Amino acid sequence: MLRGVALRVTRPRVAVLSAVHNHPHADTDSIIGVVRNDLGEVSHQAVYDVLRALTTAGLLRRIQPLGSVARYEARVRDNHHHIVCRSCGVIADVDCAVGTAPCLTASVDHGFVIDEAEVIYWGLCPDCSTPQPVPEYML
Ligand SMILES: [Zn+2]
Ligand SMILES: [Zn+2]
C-alpha cells in the first residue's frame, strides 16, 4: 500500500498503518500506545508526522466529530459516514444511505468537483440508551 503512493516504507509508517487498520477510529494517543507496543520507544512527534503523511497520501482518513479529538481510520475513499454517541463518544461506521456514495451528488454543486461529503449522525449508542439498573447503594 505504501509503495503504491510513493511513500518510503519505514517501520513507523508500517506500524502506524497497521495500528489504525486494527483499531478503526482510534485517537492519536491510542495509536501511539499500539505503535510503542510494536516498535518500542517512538516519539509522539514521529507518530504525528506519520499520521499526517499517511492522511495526505490518502491511506488514512482523519475524522473529528465535534467535541472529540482527531481520529483515524484505514477505511478510505468510500465516503462512508459515522454515527457518534452523544453520551460516551463511541463511533461506528455507516454506509451511504442509498447505493454507492450517492451523497457525493449534491442537489446543487455550485460548479465544484465534489470528492467528499461529511455526514455525522448523532445519537445514543445501545449501552447509553438502555436504562441502567439503579445501583444498590442508591436504593
Ligand atoms: Zn454511548
Ligand atoms: Zn469510519
Side-chain angles (χ1 to χ4, degrees):
M1 264 214 296
L2 286 169
R3 294 177 204 283
V5 293
L7 276 184
R8 249 174 351 107
V9 181
T10 61
R11 271 161 41 90
R13 283 178 180 166
V14 172
V16 167
L17 202 53
S18 86
V20 176
H21 200 86
N22 295 326
H23 304 272
H25 312 135
D27 61 20
T28 308
D29 285 345
S30 352
I31 295 167
I32 290 172
V34 175
V35 170
R36 283 188 176 159
N37 270 345
D38 230 34
L39 294 186
E41 197 46 43
V42 178
S43 70
H44 271 71
Q45 192 58 47
V47 175
Y48 282 119
D49 290 348
V50 170
L51 284 169
R52 194 174 324 114
L54 294 177
T55 304
T56 306
L59 293 177
L60 293 183
R61 178 173 169 193
R62 179 187 191 274
I63 59 165
Q64 186 164 20
L66 198 68
S68 167
V69 296
R71 288 157 184 281
Y72 295 87
E73 63 186 345
R75 185 179 162 187
V76 293
R77 293 182 214 280
D78 66 349
N79 196 55
H80 72 272
H81 310 311
H82 293 99
I83 187 163
V84 184
C85 177
R86 285 186 197 286
S87 176
C88 69
V90 74
I91 300 177
D93 285 339
V94 180
D95 291 335
C96 280
V98 196
T100 47
C103 308
L104 295 182
T105 314
S107 51
V108 182
D109 65 15
H110 297 282
F112 285 52
V113 177
I114 298 173
D115 59 30
E116 183 175 346
E118 186 172 273
V119 177
I120 298 185
Y121 300 93
W122 292 91
L124 288 176
C125 74
D127 283 349
C128 293
S129 60
T130 313
Q132 300 297 313
V134 181
E136 230 164 273
Y137 68 87
M138 291 181 72
L139 294 175

